[in-house]
Amino acid sequence: MIILVSLSALMLKTEIALLLCLVFMWIWLILFGCVKKALQCTAAYGALYGLLFLMKNTDMLGNLPLLTVYIRRLMLPVMAAAPVINAPTGCLIAALNKMKIPRAATLSLTVMFRFMPTLSAEYHNIRESQKIRGIGASFFTVLRHPIQTAECILVPMLIRTSKTADELSASVQVRGMKLGGAYSSYRKSVIDVRDMVLMVSGTMTIVLIYLTDVYVRRG
Amino acid sequence: MLIELNELSFRYAGSSEKSLKDISLTINEGELTLLTGESGCGKTTLTRILNGLCPQFYNGEFSGSYLIDGRNGFDMSLDEIGTYIGNVFQDPRSQFFASNVTDEIVLAMENRNYALNLMERRLQEFGEMLGISELFDKDLLQLSSGEKQKVAVAAACVIKPKLLVLDEPSANLDTDAAAQLGTLLKTLKKQGVTIIISEHRLEYLSELIDRMVVMKNGKISGIYTRHEALALSDEEMYGLGLRLFYPQAKVCIKSIAGEKSLQMEQIVCKRGQKTILSNISFDALKGKITAITGRNGAGKTTLCKIAAGLMRENSGTVSINGEKLKRRKRLQRCFFVGQDPDYQLYAPTVMEEVLLNIKKTPENIKRAEQLLEQLDLSAFSGRHPASLSGGQKQRVLLAAAIMWERPVLILDEPTSGLDGRHMREMSGLLRSIADSGTCILVITHDIEFINNCADMIYRFP
C-alpha cells in the first residue's frame, strides 16, 4: 500500500493530490513511531511551498520553481522508506513472506534496504579522502571541476559496492540462502490495528486522488 | 578424518597461473589448524575450496579430490557444504546481511527451516557460550569491530557445523579484541569444533594451534606440529615471511630531542553528547616516526583526523612547523592515508594516480617515474590502480604522498592484513620517508611494526 501511494505520488498532477499523499504519509510515520521525521518533513514541505509562493512574482529564476515541486514529490517516497530502513531486516523478510511475495523479490528488496546505510557511509569515506588530494575540497573547486569531482566519487563507489556485493553474496550463500526450498522466520509478522488503519486510509487516499483528478479534467 | 584433500590444484577463470598447486592435506576432528604464508600464497583460495566458493561462486578449473566426511565435496551444493562448514570472513562490513544482531545470527537457521523453539534455544545457548547475549537485538553498525567478529562467529556456529573456517578474522581488530577472539575460539575448540584459520597475525593463536601449515606460491611449503611451530626462532620465522608468535614490545617511551613539527595543544572534540577527546596535548618531531596506540574507539583516528584538518576540533590549537593553522590550511599541509585504499584511488592509471592534481611538468613526471621504480611499481604504471593487490595500492598512495611533499604524513593502520615480509618492507619505506624530514604519525596496534620502525609511542589513555 505504501509503495502504491508513493509511486502514485510521482505521477501526481494537482497540488491537492500531493497534499492528500502527505497526510497519508503522516499517518504512516506517526503510527510506526517516527513522529520527529513526520514533523521534519512537514516543515520542509511547508518551506518549499512558501518558497514557490515567493517565486511566483519573479520570472528570472528559470527552473527553480519546478525544482521545488519535484523535491516535494520526491519527499514522499523518502517518508515512506523511513520506518522500513530502521526496522530489523528479519521483520521485513517475515512481513514480505506473509504477503506471499516471491522469494527473489523479497531478497532483492531486503538487500536494497541493507545497502542504503552502507552507501552513505562509503560516500562519506570517499569525500573525506578526496579532500587530502585537493579534489572537491571546497565549494569553489567543486564548481570549477564538477566532472572530475563526480568521477572521483563514482569510480571508488562502484568498485567498493561491487566488491561488497560479491562478498555479501558469498557470505549468505554459504549460510544456505537460496531461492528454492523451505525456510522459516524467527520474527513473527502479525497484522494489527495499525495496518488496518493504514489500509483504509491508503485506499481512501487513492480514491480521493482519482476523484480530484477527474474533477480537474472536467474543468 | 573430517577433510581430505588430495593433489588438489585450482586456477581462477581468466588467470594464467594456478592459485593452488598439488595440495594434499588431511584435517582430523577437533584439531585447530593454522594456515599461514605471505600474501598471495593461496591460503584464501584454499579456504574457498573448503567452503565450496571455489569453483561454485568463483569460477575456475580444478583437479584432484576433496572429501568432506567421506563425501565428494565437488559434488555437493554450497548449501550442503554449508551444513558441514561454518565461515567467518575478513571484512565485517560485507559479510552481514541483516541490520540487527539477532536477525544475523538466526539467518543460517531460517534458511534451513529450523523450528522457532529450536532457534530460540540455540540463540540462548550460543549467547551464553560466546558471551554475546547482551548484544542481541542491537544495531550491527553500532558495534565495535571486535563485537562484530564475535557476532560473525556466532552466526556461523548456530547450525553446529563440524568445521569452522576463518579467513583473516583479526584484520580489523586491536590487540585486546584479537585476544578475546582467541578466547572464543578456545571455547569452541573445547566443544569439539574443528577449526581452520587463515591468518597473518599469530600472537593471539599461540596457545591454540595444533598444527601450522605454511604455504608459498600456491603450494604447501611446510607442515609443523604445535611443538615445532612454537620452537621456530625469530630468524626462521622471518625467513618464512611470517610474523612472530611472541612479539615483545621493545620501544619504550622516552623523550628524544628534535625539532617539533606537529604540535597539538589542549584538543577537545565532542560529537553530540559524547566527548571523544578531552584536553589532549601532543607533539611529534620532524624526521621521526611516532606510533599512536590504544584500544579501538579510544579516539586515535579522531585525533589524527583533527591534525589533518579532516575533522573539526571544539577547542584547542594545532600548529605545524611553528605556525598555528586553521582546519582548511592543515588539509594542505598533511597527507592522510586511510585504512582502506579503495576509497583513496581515483585515477585510471597508476602513473596518473601519483600525479593527480599535481602539475605535470617534465621534472615532476621524471620524479614520479623514479618513485615508481623505487617502490617496485614501474611494471604497473599503466595499470588501473583497482587491479593491484592491497599492498601495491598502499605503495601507490605512499608514492602520491611523497610527490606532495607535505610536512606531516599520517597513516591509519597501514599494516593490517599485511604479512611479515610486507610489514617489514613498509617499515623500511616509512623510515626512508622520515629521513627526508617528514614527520610521520602511524596509528597502529601492530607490536612488531612498532618495534621495527617507531621512534616514539603515544599511548592513548
Side-chain angles (χ1 to χ4, degrees):
Chain A
M1 186 57 72
I2 293 295
I3 297 169
L4 260 181
V5 175
S6 54
L7 274 181
S8 65
L10 293 174
M11 300 180 269
L12 293 179
K13 295 191 192 72
T14 63
E15 200 61 53
I16 304 165
L18 205 58
L19 211 61
L20 279 170
C21 285
L22 186 76
V23 171
F24 174 68
M25 289 301 168
W26 239 64
I27 300 174
W28 152 245
L29 285 178
I30 288 170
L31 277 179
F32 288 86
C34 303
V35 182
K36 204 174 150 197
K37 187 93 190 166
L39 289 176
Q40 279 172 356
C41 287
T42 319
Y45 186 92
L48 284 170
Y49 193 62
L51 212 61
L52 183 68
F53 212 69
L54 286 176
M55 286 190 288
K56 261 186 180 160
N57 299 323
T58 56
D59 45 23
M60 288 164 59
L61 293 163
N63 286 328
L64 265 182
L66 202 63
L67 197 66
T68 65
V69 176
Y70 272 105
I71 293 177
R72 277 186 298 148
R73 285 185 178 199
L74 283 174
M75 261 171 64
L76 293 167
V78 172
M79 287 170 84
V84 187
I85 287 179
N86 297 328
T89 323
C91 292
L92 182 65
I93 298 183
L96 292 170
N97 281 346
K98 193 147 196 176
M99 286 190 250
K100 302 268 182 292
I101 287 180
R103 185 77 167 157
T106 305
L107 293 184
S108 34
L109 208 64
T110 320
V111 169
M112 196 181 87
F113 278 111
R114 182 229 180 256
F115 260 92
M116 281 186 195
T118 315
L119 278 185
S120 83
E122 308 266 280
Y123 174 78
H124 283 292
N125 277 331
I126 294 168
R127 289 294 287 144
E128 202 175 88
S129 318
Q130 287 182 338
K131 287 184 181 161
I132 286 294
R133 309 274 291 273
I135 306 163
S138 69
F139 187 64
F140 183 63
T141 46
V142 174
L143 275 187
R144 246 189 353 179
H145 306 284
I147 295 174
Q148 189 200 25
T149 310
E151 187 186 310
C152 291
I153 293 172
L154 284 178
V155 171
M157 194 104 147
L158 287 172
I159 290 171
R160 276 292 316 168
T161 326
S162 73
K163 204 167 150 185
T164 311
D166 244 26
E167 286 170 10
L168 177 66
S169 163
S171 145
V172 294
Q173 282 190 38
V174 295
R175 280 186 284 162
M177 192 173 273
K178 56 199 175 295
L179 292 179
Y183 48 85
S184 55
S185 273
Y186 174 73
R187 304 272 179 183
K188 292 178 206 84
S189 166
V190 276
I191 294 182
D192 62 10
V193 188
R194 298 183 300 180
D195 300 284
M196 291 300 179
V197 173
L198 263 179
M199 275 195 238
V200 172
S201 57
T203 319
M204 274 168 56
T205 313
I206 289 176
V207 170
L208 279 172
I209 290 174
Y210 178 73
L211 287 179
T212 52
D213 197 36
V214 170
Y215 180 76
V216 169
R217 241 183 261 172
R218 278 199 192 144
Chain B
M1 258 176 297
L2 185 59
I3 299 283
E4 204 179 338
L5 297 170
N6 211 343
E7 302 272 305
L8 186 101
S9 298
F10 184 83
R11 185 170 63 83
Y12 284 103
S15 156
S16 56
E17 217 190 321
K18 284 182 183 168
S19 296
L20 294 177
K21 296 164 199 156
D22 302 323
I23 302 282
S24 297
L25 183 67
T26 53
I27 307 284
N28 297 316
E29 269 182 66
E31 266 186 344
L32 189 145
T33 308
L34 165 68
L35 276 181
T36 189
E38 292 176 21
S39 308
C41 69
K43 51 189 194 312
T44 296
T45 310
L46 185 54
T47 64
R48 285 176 180 167
I49 291 280
L50 293 174
N51 56 31
L53 287 174
C54 284
Q56 295 188 51
F57 189 82
Y58 301 101
N59 297 329
E61 268 173 35
F62 61 91
S63 61
S65 70
Y66 168 30
L67 297 179
I68 307 175
D69 226 4
R71 294 179 61 192
N72 183 355
F74 289 125
D75 283 345
M76 292 157 80
S77 69
L78 277 178
D79 178 27
E80 253 179 300
I81 298 178
T83 58
Y84 284 94
I85 301 178
N87 292 278
V88 176
F89 299 98
Q90 193 177 342
D91 189 348
R93 280 175 307 182
S94 60
Q95 64 181 308
F96 291 140
F97 178 76
S99 55
N100 172 292
V101 174
T102 311
D103 286 332
E104 185 62 30
I105 297 177
V106 297
L107 186 76
M109 297 194 281
E110 288 181 326
N111 288 335
R112 287 169 179 117
N113 202 14
Y114 277 41
L116 186 58
N117 56 14
L118 180 57
M119 286 199 253
E120 276 166 352
R121 268 209 314 276
R122 286 281 172 89
L123 259 183
Q124 206 190 353
E125 181 187 339
F126 280 90
E128 279 165 22
M129 190 205 294
L130 307 180
I132 52 165
S133 302
E134 76 278 12
L135 300 179
F136 286 168
D137 260 323
K138 282 198 176 162
D139 185 349
L140 265 171
L141 291 174
Q142 306 294 329
L143 304 187
S144 71
S145 320
E147 289 169 333
K148 280 182 188 155
Q149 243 10 348
K150 283 185 192 171
V151 172
V153 172
C157 290
V158 277
I159 60 158
K160 300 199 172 171
K162 286 192 165 168
L163 173 68
L164 184 64
V165 175
L166 303 99
D167 187 14
E168 290 185 43
S170 79
N172 298 302
L173 305 186
D174 64 27
T175 318
D176 286 347
Q180 283 179 29
L181 179 67
T183 317
L184 198 145
L185 292 177
K186 199 172 179 179
T187 314
L188 288 170
K189 198 182 158 191
K190 272 191 196 141
Q191 304 282 322
V193 182
T194 313
I195 300 173
I196 297 181
I197 180 164
S198 145
E199 191 56 284
H200 291 305
R201 268 170 93 180
L202 309 181
E203 88 259 14
Y204 77 101
L205 296 171
S206 56
E207 272 187 47
L208 297 169
I209 60 161
D210 294 310
R211 272 198 309 170
M212 174 168 89
V213 176
V214 181
M215 293 181 67
K216 192 170 189 179
N217 296 330
K219 287 186 175 163
I220 291 179
S221 63
I223 298 182
Y224 303 80
T225 62
R226 172 186 171 75
H227 186 72
E228 288 165 350
L230 298 182
L232 289 172
S233 69
D234 288 4
E235 285 69 33
E236 284 170 306
M237 293 296 272
Y238 290 158
L240 292 167
L242 302 180
R243 283 155 177 264
L244 303 177
F245 279 108
Y246 304 109
Q248 300 291 324
K250 282 180 198 152
V251 186
C252 47
I253 314 163
K254 52 186 177 198
S255 53
I256 42 177
E259 196 183 328
K260 281 177 185 171
S261 176
L262 174 74
Q263 288 171 281
M264 302 181 79
E265 272 163 57
Q266 299 182 328
I267 299 290
V268 176
C269 180
K270 289 180 190 157
R271 285 294 174 271
Q273 300 290 318
K274 213 174 142 198
T275 305
I276 306 173
L277 301 172
S278 60
N279 255 341
I280 302 274
S281 295
F282 164 84
D283 293 333
L285 303 180
K286 204 170 176 177
K288 301 284 179 210
I289 301 174
T290 308
I292 299 178
T293 66
R295 60 185 170 75
N296 284 350
K300 306 184 291 279
T301 304
T302 308
L303 182 75
C304 288
K305 282 187 174 168
I306 288 176
L310 288 169
M311 277 176 82
R312 210 177 289 277
E313 68 278 8
N314 291 67
S315 67
T317 56
V318 183
S319 346
I320 292 171
N321 292 347
E323 193 185 341
K324 256 185 210 168
L325 293 171
K326 287 232 159 71
R327 190 180 70 87
R328 278 194 190 287
K329 283 271 178 247
R330 299 201 298 268
L331 271 175
Q332 294 158 13
R333 304 290 168 89
C334 299
F335 199 97
F336 190 96
V337 179
Q339 269 188 50
D340 195 331
D342 284 340
Y343 295 124
Q344 302 163 70
L345 297 166
Y346 314 105
T349 68
V350 168
M351 190 67 186
E352 282 180 56
E353 189 70 58
V354 175
L355 287 167
L356 190 72
N357 268 1
I358 291 175
K359 283 211 175 72
K360 290 180 186 60
T361 57
E363 300 93 74
N364 279 343
I365 292 176
K366 187 139 186 270
R367 232 182 109 228
E369 277 166 358
Q370 281 170 351
L371 265 177
L372 290 183
E373 180 82 46
Q374 258 176 40
L375 299 178
D376 222 0
L377 289 167
S378 36
F380 309 102
S381 74
R383 286 248 304 257
H384 196 285
S387 67
L388 305 178
S389 76
Q392 288 164 339
K393 286 180 193 170
Q394 243 174 359
R395 294 210 296 279
V396 172
L397 274 173
L398 283 176
I402 298 170
M403 284 301 289
W404 281 94
E405 291 183 322
R406 289 181 173 169
V408 179
L409 170 62
I410 303 172
L411 300 104
D412 192 356
E413 300 286 2
T415 59
S416 76
L418 288 192
D419 61 55
R421 186 179 311 281
H422 287 92
M423 181 267 293
R424 282 170 212 119
E425 279 174 15
M426 172 66 75
S427 314
L429 181 58
L430 289 187
R431 172 55 61 203
S432 70
I433 299 175
D435 284 343
S436 69
T438 309
C439 163
I440 300 184
L441 301 184
V442 201
I443 303 172
T444 183
H445 49 240
D446 187 333
I447 300 168
E448 275 190 86
F449 180 57
I450 295 176
N451 284 344
N452 276 325
C453 75
D455 298 305
M456 290 175 13
I457 299 183
Y458 182 78
R459 209 177 298 278
F460 244 82

